[in-house]
Amino acid sequence: QVQLVESGGGSVQAGGSLRLSCDASGTIWSIPTMGWYRQVSGKQRELVADIVGDDGPKYVDSVKGRFTISRSNAKKTVSLEMNSLKPEDTAVYFCYAKARATWRDDLEIYWGQGTQVTVSS
């Protein structure tokens, strides 16, 4: 099984910056996709950014130009640098990954525990 452990997050004023990191561990044959979702209470989880294989990063329109996602394949980590934060970025941010535990397994989706990001005006 794959475990995802997030770090970072916290509280910041509008215009500030935060960095989220996520480390994948456990039995991992391949982990082609890693990224971040966020969720506001009472709303659906929203894809913020991800990196699939050798494709370039993808972002939801609302964070383009402000957030930067990066991956270290060797270390099986993904990070999200968040700049020019706005109050509407306030949410619980979840690391996610699509991975195979062994070569025989299908791709499965794994989630981190979530980390709170709060941006005050």
Side-chain angles (χ1 to χ4, degrees):
Q1 295 299 315
V2 178
Q3 295 85 43
L4 301 176
V5 178
E6 299 141 345
S7 58
S11 298
V12 68
Q13 288 191 327
S17 299
L18 287 171
R19 181 180 177 88
L20 306 180
S21 293
C22 174
D23 297 325
S25 62
T27 303
I28 302 173
W29 175 261
S30 66
I31 188 165
T33 301
M34 295 190 78
W36 296 90
Y37 274 74
R38 65 186 179 187
Q39 187 169 26
V40 176
S41 180
K43 295 188 177 181
Q44 284 191 333
R45 202 168 286 191
E46 171 189 49
L47 177 62
V48 177
D50 66 5
I51 299 177
V52 180
D54 294 329
D55 295 344
K58 296 178 183 177
Y59 301 92
V60 67
D61 285 346
S62 60
V63 308
K64 286 180 180 178
R66 300 188 297 121
F67 291 11
T68 302
I69 188 171
S70 58
R71 258 197 86 165
S72 168
N73 291 332
K75 296 182 179 180
K76 299 181 177 62
T77 64
V78 65
S79 298
L80 187 67
E81 186 74 32
M82 304 183 293
N83 298 314
S84 302
L85 282 161
K86 303 176 181 180
E88 51 263 44
D89 294 317
T90 296
V92 178
Y93 284 70
F94 295 89
C95 175
Y96 93 104
K98 294 182 181 179
R100 289 184 176 86
T102 72
W103 66 272
R104 299 184 180 196
D105 293 325
D106 294 328
L107 278 174
E108 292 190 21
I109 297 176
Y110 298 89
W111 296 95
Q113 77 280 6
T115 185
Q116 178 69 45
V117 170
T118 302
V119 184
S120 57
S121 57

